[in-house]
Amino acid sequence: METRGSRRPLPLAAAVLLVLASLAAVLTLAVRGSAERPSAEGVAAGRSGPTGPAPVDLAALVDGYTAGFTPGGPYTVPDAGQRRAIADGVLGALDGQTEQAGRSLARVGYRLTEFTEAATGRRVAEIADGTDAGSRGWGRVYLDLSARAGWSVQVPHPVSDARTEALGVDLFRAEPGGVLVLAGAHRRAGADGASDVAHRADTVFAAVVEALTGRGLPGIQVHGFDEGSLPGQDAVVSSGAGQPGPAAELTAGGLGRAGYAACRAWREKCGQLGGTTNVEGRFAAGLGVPWLHVELGNGLRTEPARRAVVAGVLAQTARGWVAGQG
């Protein structure tokens, strides 16, 4: 029987083997930890980490998508069947009919995927073109799956109206239950104004917005203007071709309380910025569904702090709609 102090030292060879085994174990753990730790690129792209897909930064995703939008860029006019298939896919996803939505979208090369959004932790569905990196210019749709869909934010002129795409993301994040509808090309990409989705009814953007409006979802469409064209005003709020409701006054008042001068198009002269010819607005007016056209000066879109304030004001409007406050 051994007692403390009577243990014999290990032979030299055995001691060396024990040290080498310990070092091997440490190196194995280090390599494994490095392999399992997701990279920054992996997080942005939604690649898998040790516990499943990494969260996706929606702002980075949208910025990457819109980075190549230029005047004269690629754009293909969709036919009626293609527009209907994508709109049906969006409605199917809205209803939780994932397989049905996927089949409808697949017929025109679109796909439906889901991810966890990094900034909010909410589950989001993306409906996007799966063919040739979306070079047809038909756009994308993002659905917040954390709550019942109750409103939409529409971005018809990303890049052209600088950083309206970023404002769309900020607003989508700010209030649950939103649908972000994003145009897929610069407004001057198509010939003869074909890609200006705010003024063309034969677009995927218009088809999707009309489908959502037909379900009774109110919408906020965000635009940008040069402050020099309307001196003294930071924003213009209107209901387009429709009658102004409580949401229009709530939005204009909220911008005013935030320190921004907001022209109320239903009772003031606001230049040509009232959105009365907007096709999505005309459709909403025909159904009596609340819809807002919000024009924002450059600083309110391009400066992150000011843009966040605007998103907060618009989120209050969306919140009012969800609460049934018109």
Side-chain angles (χ1 to χ4, degrees):
M1 179 178 184
E2 278 192 346
T3 60
R4 186 175 301 175
S6 66
R7 294 176 185 165
R8 297 177 182 175
L10 288 172
L12 179 60
V16 170
L17 289 174
L18 182 59
V19 170
L20 290 175
S22 298
L23 287 173
V26 170
L27 288 172
T28 299
L29 288 173
V31 171
R32 183 178 300 165
S34 175
E36 290 180 344
R37 191 177 302 119
S39 65
E41 293 81 2
V43 170
R47 297 172 189 159
S48 294
T51 58
V56 173
D57 181 345
L58 181 59
L61 189 65
V62 168
D63 281 351
Y65 175 58
T66 59
F69 289 8
T70 58
Y75 182 75
T76 302
V77 177
D79 63 35
Q82 291 166 328
R83 300 195 300 269
R84 185 71 261 161
I86 296 170
D88 285 347
V90 171
L91 293 182
L94 206 67
D95 294 336
Q97 303 294 327
T98 306
E99 291 185 8
Q100 176 183 324
R103 287 195 297 270
S104 181
L105 295 168
R107 289 200 296 270
V108 292
Y110 261 61
R111 54 173 173 71
L112 170 64
T113 57
E114 293 184 15
F115 59 84
T116 298
E117 206 285 308
T120 62
R122 300 198 291 255
R123 292 295 292 170
V124 170
E126 177 190 71
I127 293 172
D129 197 339
T131 64
D132 193 21
S135 63
R136 293 180 290 186
W138 293 351
R140 292 183 177 183
V141 181
Y142 294 94
L143 309 174
D144 179 2
L145 302 178
S146 72
R148 181 177 180 180
W151 59 280
S152 73
V153 52
Q154 306 158 16
V155 185
H157 300 146
V159 178
S160 174
D161 288 355
R163 302 307 285 157
T164 50
E165 65 276 10
L167 175 60
V169 172
D170 287 349
L171 176 51
F172 180 78
R173 285 170 164 173
E175 179 62 22
V179 181
L180 169 59
V181 188
L182 181 66
H186 192 283
R187 69 182 300 178
R188 286 187 287 276
D192 301 320
S195 61
D196 184 355
V197 300
H199 299 98
R200 291 284 293 248
D202 58 345
T203 66
V204 168
F205 184 94
V208 169
V209 171
E210 289 178 7
L212 296 173
T213 306
R215 287 289 185 89
L217 266 67
I220 300 174
Q221 192 167 116
V222 293
H223 293 259
F225 74 102
D226 179 357
E227 293 95 330
S229 65
L230 196 65
Q233 299 291 347
D234 299 304
V236 177
V237 179
S238 77
S239 295
Q243 294 297 315
E249 188 60 58
L250 174 67
T251 302
L255 290 170
R257 287 187 294 275
Y260 305 132
C263 188
R264 293 162 168 83
W266 60 95
R267 69 180 192 218
E268 303 174 71
K269 292 182 178 179
C270 303
Q272 303 298 313
L273 300 173
T276 55
T277 61
N278 185 286
V279 297
E280 293 82 28
R282 286 179 175 272
F283 186 84
L287 295 182
V289 175
W291 185 87
L292 286 183
H293 183 278
V294 182
E295 292 270 2
L296 299 161
N298 186 67
L300 271 62
R301 293 174 279 115
T302 60
E303 297 176 23
R306 301 176 76 189
R307 188 172 66 233
V309 172
V310 172
V313 170
L314 298 181
Q316 287 285 350
T317 300
R319 200 166 301 133
W321 281 333
V322 172
Q325 298 172 359

